[in-house]
Amino acid sequence: MSDTDTQQRATRRTVIKLVLATCVMFSFGYALVPLYNVFCTITGLNGKTGRMTEAQAAALPVDLSREVTVEFVTNVDAQMPWDFKPIVNKVVVHPGVETQVEFEVHNWDAGRIDGNAVPSVAPNTVAKYFKKTECFCFTQQTLAPGETRRMPVRFVVDPRLPPEVKVLTLGYTFFQSLKPVAENAAAALPRS
Amino acid sequence: MSQAAAHHEHEHHDHHPSGITRWLTTTNHKDIGSMYLIFSLIMFFIGGAMAMVIRAELFQPGLQFVDPQFFNSMTTMHALVMIFGAVMPAWTGFANWMIPMMIGAPDMALPRLNNWSFWILPFAFTLLLSTVFMPGGGPAGGWTMYPPLVLQTGAAFPFLIFAVHFMGASSIAGAINIIATVFNMRAPGMTLMKLPLFVWTWIITAFLLIASIPVLAGAVTMLLTDKFFGTAFFSAAGGGDPVMFQHIFWFFGHPEVYILILPAFGIVSAIIPTFARKPLFGYSSMVYASAAIAFLSFIVWAHHMFTVGMPLAGELFFMYTTVLIAVPTGVKVFNWVATMWQSSMTFETPMLFAIAFVILFTIGGFSGLMLGVTPVDFQYHDTYFVVAHFHYVLVTGAVYALMAGTYFWLPKWTGHMYDEGLGKLHFWMSTISVNVLFFPQHFLGLAGMPRRIPDYSVQFADFNMISSLGGFVFGLSQLLFVVVIVKCVKGGAKATDQVWDGAHGLEWTLPSPPPYHSFNTPPAPETIEGGMR
């Protein structure tokens, strides 16, 4: 009988370890979210653009021998009652020189709306060389009914940008903030 | 293991209830194994019926029978039913039946958990299959459930998620049980390197399950909270990223494909030596190759998403690791061929299926290599070439191994020989039609036909018609499989204990059919040595 006991105890130990492993892997699934984000921020992958303080931007060396065209594209999520456009469609900059451009957004809905702009840079493999010191995408934007707002973006192109890259595209998509959806989860259910 | 002793055991345990309660409450590994296998056969036909709808609609260009939404729900459900309902439970069924008998154990280590892990499945698939009748129809965004598309699913969405949770819970419980059984219940003298390869590949599969299914559970939970509770894991509006889902999903998804195929390697490694009447060539290299495949499966996931926009370094990394898997897989194919080399082979139905497995799975492996090469994957991505590839490895791979295993052990399970003529007819009908079904899909894919589309331009018409004809014949041929099984269960020539004269292993030392409780006393070490030879 003690043989069976030993076997049962061993089985229990195995099971405890395996259940723990299952829990660890479930958490790991969730941990992948911040891990991928950190990975993308460090490498600048996935169009995640870098942030810089004004002081850091000013300390960058200036390369006047090179010109880089920065283009701007804007999108608004299909369900969002906003207009959104850049004031200029493209600028030509020297790497290391800080530049300011403006975007205009207009809320044509009858209600106040919160929006978030999500930036991305193409080609995404060089997104890490595009640094912003100020951006309306850093914070949520709330627009009153009929309100129009001009919003600045200050950026600098890192002189370490690979020489073969001559054009960068900065894209923004405005999404309505998720809060109203969260307040009424039932609304997310489809109507048949 | 005398009949008299077995009979005595049986009387001793004769309190078990009869009728449906017996099956609801049973903790016997053979009962549960049978239930798993019958369940997966039913699912195989439900998923197959969906495939017939798909092939009927694709028989000609234009929309004939179903609307596009329903078509897409058919492709989605076909995949979910076949992967989680047919192949995975079938492997667990084989494991339940065979592993205790192969390692000389009286039962699984956790019999009651075993009962639960089976009985979760009918509930999971009731949830999933009921969605077809719901407003908005079944899930139609593809089995990979990519957001944001999947978030547009109608009332079916939460049912899909909870069904996936249940299926996952069932397979994790099954995996825990199998590891606990093999690690703690082996007969004395049954060392790890004496385990039959089916047991080995199943242990590795079980570890893959425990490491990958919880990640899937997490990913679908994130989808659920994104849709109903305002989180933004995959929604750009809240700072999330839809591509993140693909990374998490395929971290599960790639090990999953080896979950589906590794036990097949084990079964084929049991069948080929039996009918070649030679010991398996390179047993230990088979074990190490399986482990190597399992390890590599965790570092290749992004080859499913070469086109999402990755840096060159990432694409190269995932290309190299993917192509590296060909090395251990090649070792296995080499060993199977070397086992058959200069052997005295006979070609009974299990052997026919096993040989077809080696040849056709290798074709699927080669098309996999093509897909693994990043620059050309940009052309093949999401075309019928991918469909052809994964059906070669799953139908003529996993499903063929399941059929080979069924024919191989059916006489052991039932005590009767199956109808060899019908079995061979089933094999030849299946093998000819499955190639007519899937081989032209390579050409369709290379010519640019996208997958998951109910209609197509006319230049694809001929190959689609050929493929559909093959599909209908393949579907009908599987009815023969059922006929063979039913006939065999009902009667037939009495099977001997050893059944096949080249068969070695502990399960063949038991009577056919084996007693309800086997190996209550562990087999003698000589039996293990003799059985393993």
Side-chain angles (χ1 to χ4, degrees):
Chain A
M1 270 300 107
S2 76
D3 230 27
T4 333
D5 281 353
T6 333
Q7 197 179 60
Q8 277 187 348
R9 219 168 306 131
T11 303
R12 196 169 307 139
R13 264 199 306 275
T14 314
V15 171
I16 290 170
K17 277 185 217 153
L18 293 173
V19 170
L20 269 176
T22 307
C23 298
V24 167
M25 286 315 291
F26 184 76
S27 327
F28 178 71
Y30 274 85
L32 280 176
V33 176
L35 285 177
Y36 277 128
N37 269 329
V38 167
F39 181 77
C40 287
T41 314
I42 292 171
T43 55
L45 293 179
N46 207 9
K48 287 200 195 302
T49 53
R51 251 177 109 157
M52 237 183 201
T53 61
E54 293 283 353
Q56 284 171 320
L60 281 176
V62 175
D63 184 357
L64 290 176
S65 63
R66 237 181 113 188
E67 286 186 339
V68 177
T69 307
V70 181
E71 303 173 330
F72 306 103
V73 290
T74 55
N75 278 299
V76 179
D77 186 38
Q79 278 107 50
M80 199 177 189
W82 282 14
D83 289 328
F84 176 37
K85 61 172 194 281
I87 302 298
V88 289
N89 288 322
K90 58 182 173 188
V91 290
V92 179
V93 298
H94 296 296
V97 178
E98 207 179 349
T99 313
Q100 173 160 338
V101 291
E102 287 190 313
F103 289 73
E104 191 178 87
V105 66
H106 170 68
N107 175 14
W108 44 268
D109 195 59
R112 277 169 69 88
I113 287 178
D114 301 324
N116 280 86
V118 175
S120 89
V121 170
N124 63 25
T125 46
V126 295
K128 63 181 164 193
Y129 301 109
F130 188 88
K131 310 278 192 188
K132 282 172 291 186
T133 54
E134 189 185 335
C135 179
F136 56 89
C137 57
F138 294 164
T139 54
Q140 194 174 62
Q141 302 292 327
T142 304
L143 264 69
E147 184 183 344
T148 302
R149 181 179 299 171
R150 277 202 171 200
M151 304 172 303
V153 174
R154 288 178 69 76
F155 67 87
V156 58
V157 176
D158 192 316
R160 281 169 298 179
L161 180 76
E164 68 274 14
V165 181
K166 307 238 178 336
V167 182
L168 287 172
T169 307
L170 172 64
Y172 283 106
T173 306
F174 247 113
F175 290 93
Q176 194 158 350
S177 299
L178 284 176
K179 269 211 201 90
V181 184
E183 278 163 15
N184 188 3
L189 274 173
R191 282 168 285 270
S192 58
Chain B
M1 196 45 49
S2 72
Q3 282 282 20
H7 189 67
H8 177 77
E9 284 301 331
H10 193 85
E11 270 181 346
H12 182 68
H13 285 270
D14 218 11
H15 320 294
H16 59 74
S18 54
I20 183 73
T21 6
R22 170 191 167 183
W23 297 102
L24 284 172
T25 58
T26 184
T27 54
N28 180 281
H29 74 99
K30 299 183 182 82
D31 283 354
I32 294 173
S34 302
M35 288 197 294
Y36 263 113
L37 290 172
I38 293 165
F39 176 84
S40 75
L41 190 63
I42 294 169
M43 285 298 143
F44 181 61
F45 276 91
I46 292 176
M50 293 169 174
M52 292 300 105
V53 174
I54 295 167
R55 281 324 314 175
E57 180 57 54
L58 293 175
F59 188 68
Q60 285 187 316
L63 296 177
Q64 273 79 232
F65 304 106
V66 293
D67 64 275
Q69 171 79 17
F70 186 76
F71 179 91
N72 285 343
S73 77
M74 284 294 104
T75 58
T76 305
M77 298 278 273
H78 165 74
L80 289 169
V81 167
M82 286 304 200
I83 293 168
F84 293 98
V87 176
M88 288 168 72
W91 289 136
T92 318
F94 271 97
N96 263 297
W97 248 106
M98 303 317 300
I99 287 180
M101 298 204 294
M102 285 175 160
I103 63 171
D107 204 310
M108 298 295 277
L110 311 155
R112 209 158 286 149
L113 181 74
N114 206 9
N115 174 292
W116 288 352
S117 46
F118 171 73
W119 279 109
I120 293 175
L121 283 177
F123 293 94
F125 282 89
T126 308
L127 279 183
L128 183 67
L129 295 172
S130 67
T131 58
V132 176
F133 308 103
M134 287 178 185
W143 80 279
T144 50
M145 299 177 281
Y146 283 2
L149 184 59
V150 76
L151 299 175
Q152 296 173 18
T153 305
F157 182 74
F159 288 80
L160 166 70
I161 302 300
F162 288 126
V164 171
H165 277 147
F166 280 157
M167 298 161 194
S170 165
S171 19
I172 291 171
I176 289 177
N177 208 343
I178 286 162
I179 296 176
T181 306
V182 178
F183 279 14
N184 301 306
M185 312 246 315
R186 295 193 310 278
M190 177 63 86
T191 56
L192 281 177
M193 285 315 265
K194 275 187 197 148
L195 289 176
L197 265 170
F198 179 67
V199 181
W200 253 118
T201 52
W202 236 114
I203 300 177
I204 295 168
T205 303
F207 279 110
L208 287 180
L209 281 164
I210 287 172
S212 71
I213 298 275
V215 177
L216 172 71
V220 297
T221 309
M222 291 178 213
L223 285 176
L224 190 78
T225 55
D226 264 18
K227 172 130 176 156
F228 294 113
F229 302 105
T231 58
F233 288 104
F234 311 124
S235 154
D241 187 342
V243 176
M244 176 89 72
F245 178 84
Q246 301 186 24
H247 279 292
I248 301 172
F249 180 86
W250 287 113
F251 185 86
F252 143 81
H254 204 80
E256 169 71 15
V257 308
Y258 294 103
I259 288 166
L260 298 172
I261 202 67
L262 279 178
F265 293 165
I267 283 190
V268 170
S269 304
I271 292 174
I272 289 182
T274 301
F275 295 96
R277 291 165 181 78
K278 250 173 82 181
L280 182 71
F281 184 89
Y283 169 90
S284 47
S285 70
M286 284 295 214
V287 174
Y288 296 132
S290 305
I293 292 174
F295 167 74
L296 287 173
S297 76
F298 281 103
I299 53 169
V300 298
W301 74 91
H303 69 211
H304 296 267
M305 34 193 297
F306 278 143
T307 57
V308 296
M310 266 191 285
L312 192 62
E315 305 208 313
L316 286 173
F317 173 80
F318 287 111
M319 177 170 84
Y320 292 144
T321 50
T322 301
V323 174
L324 200 57
I325 293 189
V327 175
T329 315
V331 167
K332 285 183 165 290
V333 174
F334 180 88
N335 286 349
W336 291 321
V337 175
T339 308
M340 290 188 270
W341 182 254
Q342 294 197 328
S343 66
S344 41
M345 277 195 284
T346 51
F347 299 94
E348 287 86 347
T349 312
M351 184 61 162
L352 288 175
F353 273 104
I355 294 172
F357 169 95
V358 175
I359 296 166
L360 299 175
F361 174 80
T362 306
I363 292 180
F366 281 140
S367 58
L369 273 177
M370 291 170 71
L371 287 162
V373 178
T374 315
V376 290
D377 179 74
F378 275 69
Q379 182 193 343
Y380 307 152
H381 187 86
D382 260 350
T383 66
Y384 259 79
F385 193 81
V386 179
V387 177
H389 158 68
F390 65 69
H391 281 96
Y392 263 90
V393 289
L394 285 179
V395 180
T396 57
V399 173
Y400 261 45
L402 282 166
M403 286 171 177
T406 307
Y407 283 111
F408 188 51
W409 283 306
L410 204 54
K412 173 57 64 186
W413 297 335
T414 62
H416 307 126
M417 294 307 287
Y418 60 86
D419 186 327
E420 188 65 47
L422 275 182
K424 286 206 165 99
L425 181 68
H426 172 225
F427 169 78
W428 285 110
M429 299 251 312
S430 299
T431 303
I432 293 168
S433 61
V434 84
N435 284 292
V436 176
L437 164 58
F438 292 121
F439 210 83
Q441 295 185 359
H442 289 113
F443 308 134
L444 286 170
L446 291 177
M449 179 169 160
R451 52 191 288 216
R452 296 168 170 159
I453 297 287
D455 188 8
Y456 48 83
S457 41
V458 285
Q459 74 265 31
F460 303 130
D462 292 349
F463 278 137
N464 267 298
M465 190 176 280
I466 295 168
S467 177
S468 285
L469 289 172
F472 301 142
V473 177
F474 184 74
L476 286 174
S477 310
Q478 303 323 308
L479 297 174
L480 275 174
F481 187 44
V482 181
V483 171
V484 175
I485 292 172
V486 171
K487 262 187 82 173
C488 183
V489 171
K490 287 206 161 145
K494 183 88 190 74
T496 60
D497 291 1
Q498 201 190 4
V499 183
W500 313 106
D501 53 60
H504 298 291
L506 283 181
E507 76 266 34
W508 308 108
T509 64
L510 293 170
S512 302
Y516 197 60
H517 297 280
S518 42
F519 292 127
N520 270 340
T521 47
E526 309 88 72
T527 321
I528 294 176
E529 289 298 328
M532 287 304 111
R533 190 161 50 87

